[in-house]
Amino acid sequence: MRPDPIQRLDTTFFWDACERGEFLAQKCEPCNKLWHPPRPMCPDCHSLEKSTQNLSGKATILSWVRQVRPASFGFKESPIVILVELEEGLRMVSNLVGDEPPEIGDPVEVDFAKTSGGKAVPVFKKVAS
Amino acid sequence: MVAASQQACIVGIGQTEFSKASGRSEQQLAAEAVLRACQDAGVDPKSIDGMTTFSLDNSDEVDIMRSLGCEEIKYTTRLPQGGAASVATIVHAKNAVESGICDTFLIFRAMNERSQYRFGQPHFNISPDAHSSTFMEWCFPFGAQTPAAWEALSCGPYLNKYGVTSEDLGRIAVTFRKAAATNPASWFYEKPITLDDHQNSRWIVEPTLRLLDCCQESDGGVAIIITRADKAKDLMQMPVRILGAEYSMLFNHEIISDFYAGDLIRNENSEIVADRLEASTGIAPKDTNVAMIYDNFTPQILRQLEGFKYCGIGEAKDYVKDGHLELDGKTPLSPNGGLMGEGYIHGMNNITEGVRQVRGQAANQIENANTAFIASGVAGAIIGK
Ligand SMILES: [Zn+2]
């Protein structure tokens, strides 16, 4: 079973949304800049007024690995780790789920996986071609 | 630039043995390394008046002072970004002495990263708000939990784009181990490897890093003493001048988990450092006589060779294959065997080797080594006679 995400005051909204099945990123309310990972302040206009934007969940695989030794802690079997670029231009580390092998450049779409403590994280599966 | 008499010089280097079980505390390793560096230089440890180390070092400044009897410290700082801090310490040391704040500046790093904790294994006790922690928070629940996993993930696009094979990476490991084999201070002394050994070594992270692509967790301590040229001339060793030392940390970039900015191909921060070094010293890194480039994992060498402009983008695998990094090559790399071959004291033992090369005291001495380039990704320095 997958370990729970590490949650912080500045990031807990992201993981809480995953539990509700929502995939979102932080957005600056005044200037609409979108970013990931979350942060307390907009790096462009320095506003503290933040909102969130739902993401399309469409992404492309930029890179993949599988941690063999030591095996990934908390998992029955080390998962395929992917770095994805989201349609909105943000990047994120996640997993490829399903039986298909990872390929750089492949399109994927978001899904959610439960963690051992009942939380959820975003994972990706290949888009049927 | 400061007057020649005020230029920062490395005057003392000290290190313990490198092992997998030091049998003593990290504080003791630090104290022993500092004492050796002071003895090498011929300075009284009590006169140390400034110091820096890594934010990850466990030995407190108070305790270093308590063991060495340092009377007063006028300037201390701790540097972020893991091993990338190694050459960044030189930037701070240079500034501390050339500004006149400090006369006898100490850099130290000591770790029992093999016997006391496994540095390369997952750790759960990182306080997420205390340090930049995205390498944990945004990787851990996805099973990317080790430095090797983060490194491989960030290098994937580069390796894919330029068709870098496991054999290409293996040649880098073979080069390091060949040098280590003739350096009695190295862990892998008299233990060279072949490309077949590399290819047969087990996967650490698929599809990129085999066991022999990785540095090894090591126990040990390293210390360096820096002062100004006018003081250095009266000490025991030939002063090794810090001709230039530069640092660049760019927006939205991280160190090993550098996923969020840039094209994942170029090391832009290294390019900036190379340009600034050439502007300030008149010497490009590739025109120095020996290169000490941080080698936690083999792909790092390719991306830094390109970042520090030893060759063009995408050309590094051929640069290695053509033998330019060999000890008799155009730009010899890490004659101590690097962190992979000698030991992994978080990059610091590559700096002491650079100093030995310029002094002419190295086990695998490069002939006429007047200058050396030392680098750790975000930071680079050119040292010389
Ligand atoms: Zn804004």
Side-chain angles (χ1 to χ4, degrees), chain B residues 112-315:
Chain B
N112 278 332
E113 56 150 330
R114 170 68 206 200
S115 64
Q116 205 175 314
Y117 43 87
R118 297 291 307 270
F119 199 68
Q121 306 263 342
H123 289 275
F124 322 108
N125 55 355
I126 289 181
S127 161
D129 271 330
H131 301 290
S132 179
S133 60
T134 67
F135 62 93
M136 291 303 290
E137 179 173 11
W138 300 100
C139 293
F140 199 81
F142 304 105
Q145 301 161 336
T146 62
W150 306 321
E151 177 76 24
L153 194 59
S154 83
C155 288
Y158 171 87
L159 302 173
N160 181 61
K161 178 167 181 180
Y162 294 108
V164 178
T165 64
S166 178
E167 286 89 350
D168 290 325
L169 298 178
R171 275 184 271 277
I172 298 167
V174 169
T175 304
F176 281 121
R177 291 290 294 274
K178 185 177 165 190
T182 53
N183 168 18
S186 74
W187 177 256
F188 288 121
Y189 179 51
E190 296 182 329
K191 293 193 182 85
I193 56 166
T194 64
L195 194 54
D196 279 347
D197 293 334
H198 172 274
Q199 288 296 293
N200 292 327
S201 67
R202 64 178 183 255
W203 284 114
I204 299 300
V205 179
E206 289 176 335
T208 308
L209 300 176
R210 298 178 182 277
L211 177 69
L212 294 177
D213 288 303
C214 307
C215 66
Q216 39 166 350
E217 295 159 317
S218 311
D219 288 8
V222 174
I224 300 170
I225 300 287
I226 291 98
T227 188
R228 284 182 299 279
D230 56 348
K231 292 187 171 294
K233 66 181 184 338
D234 302 324
L235 300 176
M236 306 267 284
Q237 303 285 345
M238 182 197 80
V240 173
R241 292 186 296 150
I242 301 173
L243 302 173
E246 300 289 342
Y247 176 78
S248 172
M249 180 176 176
L250 295 170
F251 174 73
N252 217 15
H253 281 270
E254 295 185 25
I255 290 299
I256 195 164
S257 45
D258 188 16
F259 307 134
Y260 302 100
D263 61 5
L264 302 166
I265 303 293
R266 288 167 52 205
N267 272 15
E268 288 173 81
N269 44 18
S270 305
E271 293 173 13
I272 291 168
V273 166
D275 288 344
R276 284 199 194 129
L277 281 174
E278 188 171 0
S280 63
T281 67
I283 304 167
K286 69 173 164 41
D287 295 326
T288 59
N289 302 121
V290 57
M292 305 299 310
I293 299 177
Y294 192 84
D295 56 303
N296 48 354
F297 302 102
T298 50
Q300 261 303 324
I301 291 300
L302 299 179
R303 294 181 73 195
Q304 287 182 89
L305 282 172
E306 295 173 13
F308 292 117
K309 305 193 174 186
Y310 279 74
C311 59
I313 308 295
E315 295 173 4

Side-chain angles (χ1 to χ4, degrees), chain A residues 60-80:
Chain A
T60 308
I61 297 179
L62 297 179
S63 185
W64 73 269
V65 300
R66 200 174 73 90
Q67 191 179 301
V68 180
R69 273 183 77 97
S72 299
F73 172 84
F75 291 80
K76 208 159 73 185
E77 214 175 287
S78 293
I80 301 288

